[in-house]
Amino acid sequence: MAYREFGARFEKNSACTLSEKDEEDEAAETSDGSETHSSSSKDSEYSDELEPEWLDDVQKNGELFYLELSEGEEEAVLSQVTAAQSAATNHVRFSEKEAEIIPDKSSKKRADSNTKSHPKFKKLAKILGRKRRPSSRSRADGKNGRASQQPASILKNQTGQRMGLVVQQPYLKDVCVYINPKRLGNMSPPSQEEGGLLEALLGVVLRTRNGLSCNGERLVIHGLVPHSPASKCAQILIGDILVAVDDVEVTSENIERVLSCISGPTQVHLTLETGIASTVMDSEVPRSRPTAPVSQLVRLLWGEDTTELQMSVAHVPHIAMYLSLKLDSESAQVEQEILYQYPVSEAAAQLKGIRGIFLTLCDMLENVTGGQIVSSSLLLRKHLVHVGYWKEGENLLVIGLPADRVPLLHLQAVLKGLVRTLRVMYGSLQSAFCEVENAPRLDHLFCLFFQRLIQPSRLTDNPVSSSLNISGTLFLDDLPAMRWLTLPPDIKVEVDTVLSDFESSDFGDMSEDFYGMRRLYVILGSCLFYKGYLIANHLPKEDLLDVCLYCKHYCLLCLGAEQRVGQLVVWREVFLQRRSQPEFSTTTHPGYCESNGRVFLLIVGLRHYMQCVLLQAGGCASLALGSPGPDCIYVDQVKATLLQLESLESAIEERLSAPPTPCLSCADWFLPSSGRDRQDVISSSPILNRLTAAIKPPSPSTIGRNLFREAGSGPKGRKPSPQRSLSDSGSEQGDIGLRMPSAGTRRDSLGSGGSDGSGSSGGLFKIPKLKQPNPFYLGSLKKSLTEKEAEEMQNTMKLTAGLENTLFHYILMETVQGIFITPTHRELSHLSGSIHPQLIRNFHHCCLSIRQAFQQTLPPRQDSRGADRPHISRGLGPVKEHGILFQCKPENWTDQKKPAPTMTYWVIGRMVQEPVPQEFYVCFHDSIPEVPVEMAFRLSFGLAV
Amino acid sequence: MLHSQSVQLLCLTASSGVPLFSRGSAKPLPFSIIGSLNGVHMFGMGHDASLSCCETDRGGRVLWRVFHDSLMLIGASSNAEVSELHLRRLLENAWNCMVLVLGLDELANVRNVERLKRELRSCYRLIDMLLERGVDDLDCDGDQGLMGDLTHCTDCILLPQPDLLQETLESFTRAAESEFGCLLVRGRLAVATEKWWRLAPQELILLSAIANLPPGKTSCDYPVFLPQGSPNVALRLMCFQLLPGAIACVLCGPKPSLHQVENEQVCCFWSPVVDNLRSSLDQVERSPLYPSITFNRDVLCLLLINRDSRKSVASLGPTCSKSPPPLSPARRWEILRLFYTFAVTRYFTSEETPNSWCPPSDPLHEEFSSGFTHLPVHCYLLTDECKCYAVQTPQHQLFLLTDLSVPTFALRSVATHTLDVITTATGF
């Protein structure tokens, strides 16, 4: 293992056995108080001494997919509190080891760890032992004791057992709650008068507060502390009697002792005697949130039991097959032409049964109409199914998908994306499907693939992204571009600098130069994501697309967007498509040729950040032999980079919560709803806008940001880079005061449509028109200006812009850079309403068609299949612009007397070749005059990329 | 392999796969390929999966349809401009042709395959004409601008003073002991009796096609089955050429003989209105819309559909003063057909009428427009050659092409204005 060869140099004690591990852990534990300000390089060395937790998950071929949730998320999975609540808890653990680096450890905790260190480390050893077992996929580290005792991880779906309560006797119920003694923090041991550990840990208040001492009374629950584990689980009722904790009978006499034995965060089993008949408290009682959908994706990624998810799509006909076109009459094996197949459901079996059709069509159509078959449609038990074909050599990849999920227009794009991903991962379809050991990995990939297409809502928990329905995901996922987040220039520079620092491979005394040996890898480039948005990219476009296709197919982007990833390490060899294309060798600059070494992809995710790095072996780096696993040094360096970037998180968050530029309108503002404001039908939008704004609660982000800043400034001290400290002391701190009020007023303007922020009610009737910066005005280019200038510009624009803001949604794709900009999820969530989500869904569906029209009519080019498509027919000719006008009416229009009001809006797509190839998709209200539209197109709607 | 650009229509018996005929391509497909095309579909049926269509990367297509569980029609096209909609319509029209000529009973219950094969020869001419329409070469001038086969709406012309002709037609029809009569001018319906309008649009298109078919004959008498109206009882379609390009048609029962009507009634009723007929023929030469309607000079051509009565009128724009004209008429019609297909398959409703052989619950093709949450009302396309704009109102659909010189933002007003002008002036 490469790690061993290299890492051994740094290891003081390379023979690290299990028993010694305990001591090392202890050493780590005790030293962490002083280690808080250790530099990141120190960190990595430190984790060199301890094996990184992902090491055991490295597979034989060197690949690694290791995912660990942050503690907050684990807790969410465990006790099913909402993700939002858990994210609010302050301690974040980056990894198992670093978890101990929580700066302010109490003296009590210290004492605790002294006394309890032994059993605790036993547990750790057990966990490590468990992980040492060959496991095909990584699993959440079982931090708590229960998980290590029960090999069947509690993270697995055991709905009834986990959350629900099992009725044992008529009046006894079992409840599982998640408790974390560490959260007691530096409080002194709670005294009996305050309710003791029972109140502090569980949040249960007892009736006999004074007499709790030692009379062996039954524990009758008198009250619940808000936000405590007991109240969160919502199944402990006042009046219940606590009978046992983890099957140990408890009374007022021993409860404190029992609870004090719980040392780490864990799930405890409470047995309660309840006065309410257990039938009422059935575990089947529907909860507002079904079994933590957050974990669905994560569980899928962990490769855990996914039967439930698969069962839910079993009736939907879908299949992936890799078939051989060669007839081999020698071997009489059954189904020998099927090289690979997924899934094994009834509907899929039916599609498998008619594979003869696919094979025959593929073979025959060339003789009938000329050209390769790309798709066919068939009616399977009343379901229309589209089948996509991809022929490579003597084999045929067939993907069947239901027509109501993937329109025929879009099937090709989906298939192309999939094929490219497979090629990136395995080099060719042949090598992907024809090697037996790949089968489970492909199963995993296709499971994700179909889940993503057929029921994307099951995988996400984000209300906004789930409102982005199938066509939205379809369209955005298959654009040859990544979602880009524009950052203020100063932050962008900083991010880029940090990335460049990393890419220079100058790791100080960790570097290979230091030891005079050839470096293992050359860093080709990297790209950085924050919450699924691309914020920096140092990769050529095609490489970026390769990397991102991998991330998309493994849902890594939505993972980072929705939950805080404790640690994500992915390592695998990739085959960049740019290099496999024939023109690769010819189009490079004269005198320069790129070396053709093996390329590896390293993805490291921490919290909301994710960095993808392409590493090349060979060339000036040493040749890679066999299938090397991830190298610790590189992983740690990426981690260090991400930790360094963490200080920028607040700034990025601020950008995310900033009001959208260009400003967006909500469709509902243009349409009086049927229920209320009927008298306002004529006066319509402006007033309604105000009303909605007044109702809307102020967003908490202003307060949150302050907190965030302070929290974020902690790790800043780790490795102060010159740029950082400069901006810290200067611009950033300085303009935070300046930026905040401006952000405040502008947010208001998003809601109210008036920029005169505070006095929204005062100006209610004074200004009959919406005076909002109009996206169709050149003024929205202000993003490229400094904050202050923009502010001034906005002020002046308030006077000049007499138009309503009518831009609903937009997508701008920069074809050359491979990025696109669209309103962020948060911006969308501001624009809530009943019509607006529909409008966005419609917009995306429409974009599918528009883009397909562009693609279909593009002048002929070298096709990706290698065949030059003879473009005999002229068809419609190249389409440059395509627009559709939609009309919408409010649903449930009850007023019989008046006809339902209608709102019309355009969805327009335009493809520009000069000066830079771009594609715009915009959606705006019908009322805009022509000239601003033209102007806005020219100015790219003020979207500075 | 098919000759590039050609469309081929194959007909086989659904149960036994006996080929009945193959029309279209100059070089027919080899039998083995016809066999496997049929075979894949039959194999699928055996597995409860009915194959509907497939497409190749060069735009070639194959479409399968089984009608009344007895006959299978396969359309194969190697022409990228033949859309799925076009091919689908072609198969439906071909089936309707066969019913029109032979009757449903004959086709639904095949007793003697060899006899059926012989009998089907009589619909070749009609089918061939349908195959040629809209595919590639539009040499024959008369067919230009006829879009009924694609739109399933009757092609019409709008006459400035239809009253006289209408009265003449009605009395002529009555004299022929019928209630169904119409006057065709250059293949387009000029006037028709009320009952004629009640026939299904698909029937009207085919009846017009039949009447228009034989060049040079002055009168003819065909037995026809109406695919929707009377699929099993034959009626007689009598056509009389009044002037070259002007044909009067009557659907009637067994009674008046062709000879009788031709000798006694045609002259008596139609000779007084010959001048009107001439002028309407002249008008169609210029435009199916009457000359008093003036619309924007930059309109290259347009198609207006009345969604309620399922009639359509298509016209080239006013003769362009520019020389050379930006687009040849043939290319304009071609783009109009393509644009109609584009708009209707993606955004607008394609006026699908429920068919007797295909219950609407089984959609053999996907309706992309059903994915929209809101109602598309307009759409436009800008290409290198022209600008296309389409409007859909509850009553009408208008598709028009304009010159590139029209600013994009003006397209909408040009289109709505054109729609207003035509509908108010003609009550179409």
Side-chain angles (χ1 to χ4, degrees), chain A residues 667-704:
Chain A
D668 297 69
W669 300 342
F670 291 88
L671 206 62
S673 72
S674 57
R676 42 156 208 180
D677 302 322
R678 217 169 280 165
Q679 71 280 13
D680 278 344
V681 170
I682 306 142
S683 60
S684 80
S685 48
I687 306 228
L688 263 177
N689 281 351
R690 307 255 162 191
L691 285 175
T692 41
I695 293 161
K696 202 176 281 177
S699 102
S701 59
T702 331
I703 311 147

Side-chain angles (χ1 to χ4, degrees), chain A residues 367 386 849 852 881 905 926, chain B residues 346-347 366 374 380 412:
Chain A
N367 300 327
H386 294 315
S849 165
Q852 204 269 344
E881 185 174 332
Y905 61 91
D926 189 24
Chain B
R346 293 179 187 215
Y347 309 115
E366 172 197 323
H374 296 150
Y380 71 87
R412 183 179 179 178

